[in-house]
Amino acid sequence: MPHHTSRHLAEGPRVGVRPFTYEDGAEFTARARESKDLHRPWLFPPTTTQAYTAYAGRLIEDRCKAGFLVCEKSDGAIGGFININNIVDGGFQSGALGYGAFAHAAGRGLMREGLDLVVRYAFGPMRLHRLEINVQPGNAASIALARRCGFRLEGFSPKMLFVDGAWRDHQRWAITTEMVPRQGPR
């Protein structure tokens, strides 16, 4: 099932991150179907080829979005995904992060490593200054990941995003380039 043909944009000891491709659809959707219990009610990644093609197309073709697959270096297996949405240039130089681990990779520290790599890539080659994560207050795993990766809690937004049929409250977590150490692993 793993896909081996793309180069990583950044690598850590156990994972590399690379852009989405249309060819990743079969593995991505299989992993998403296997992970439904892990994702619900927080996240709804595509589980069909048609839905994946539309989803990946937005990440590949829209310059205001960037999608990254977190892949295990040992075998190329997709362990999760991290997207930067709503990328704004100019004086703002910011983006909004969304992410999800797949069940086989959850709890192994792979997403921590992948998110650190994406943050450094965003603040390096992408030249962004700020990244924000919006998390539903009950999503303890996502909040723990944001905290472990150095994001700070900045606020609470009632009824911020429409998720699973209703407007949901979210906590706002953010990091700026000044908060990321310049050398060595985090």
Side-chain angles (χ1 to χ4, degrees), residues 5-184:
T5 61
S6 295
R7 285 187 353 190
H8 296 143
L9 298 171
E11 289 188 349
R14 297 182 300 150
V15 304
V17 294
R18 63 175 178 80
F20 274 70
T21 70
Y22 291 109
E23 292 78 21
D24 293 308
E27 181 180 0
F28 188 99
T29 57
R31 301 268 187 216
R33 287 189 300 273
E34 294 166 0
S35 305
K36 277 188 177 183
D37 291 341
L38 175 67
H39 293 155
R40 301 299 189 262
W42 321 112
L43 186 62
F44 299 84
T47 57
T48 67
T49 302
Q50 183 178 8
Y52 176 83
T53 299
Y55 177 77
R58 290 187 298 273
L59 294 168
I60 293 167
E61 297 170 21
D62 185 342
R63 68 177 215 76
C64 295
K65 299 179 186 297
F68 303 91
L69 296 172
V70 177
C71 301
E72 294 185 64
K73 286 173 53 178
S74 62
D75 62 4
I78 299 172
F81 55 96
I82 302 168
N83 301 330
I84 306 176
N85 299 297
N86 306 324
I87 298 171
V88 179
D89 294 328
F92 200 40
Q93 293 180 297
S94 180
L97 286 172
Y99 49 77
F102 291 127
H104 75 281
R108 296 174 44 208
L110 302 178
M111 287 301 291
R112 159 74 192 268
E113 190 175 321
L115 185 54
D116 281 343
L117 292 170
V118 168
V119 166
R120 290 177 183 273
Y121 187 80
F123 291 157
M126 291 181 72
R127 303 178 55 94
L128 295 179
H129 177 260
R130 175 185 168 85
L131 294 169
E132 188 169 306
I133 299 170
N134 296 294
V135 183
Q136 292 179 58
N139 190 342
S142 187
I143 290 170
L145 179 59
R147 185 177 285 123
R148 282 192 309 269
C149 288
F151 285 73
R152 66 177 170 237
L153 178 62
E154 290 192 336
F156 179 80
S157 297
K159 311 276 187 225
M160 181 181 186
L161 293 172
F162 194 78
V163 179
D164 195 25
W167 289 98
R168 308 288 179 182
D169 298 342
H170 282 71
Q171 292 180 354
R172 291 186 323 277
W173 292 78
I175 193 168
T176 61
T177 189
E178 295 86 2
M179 295 167 63
V180 178
R182 294 288 173 208
Q183 297 178 7

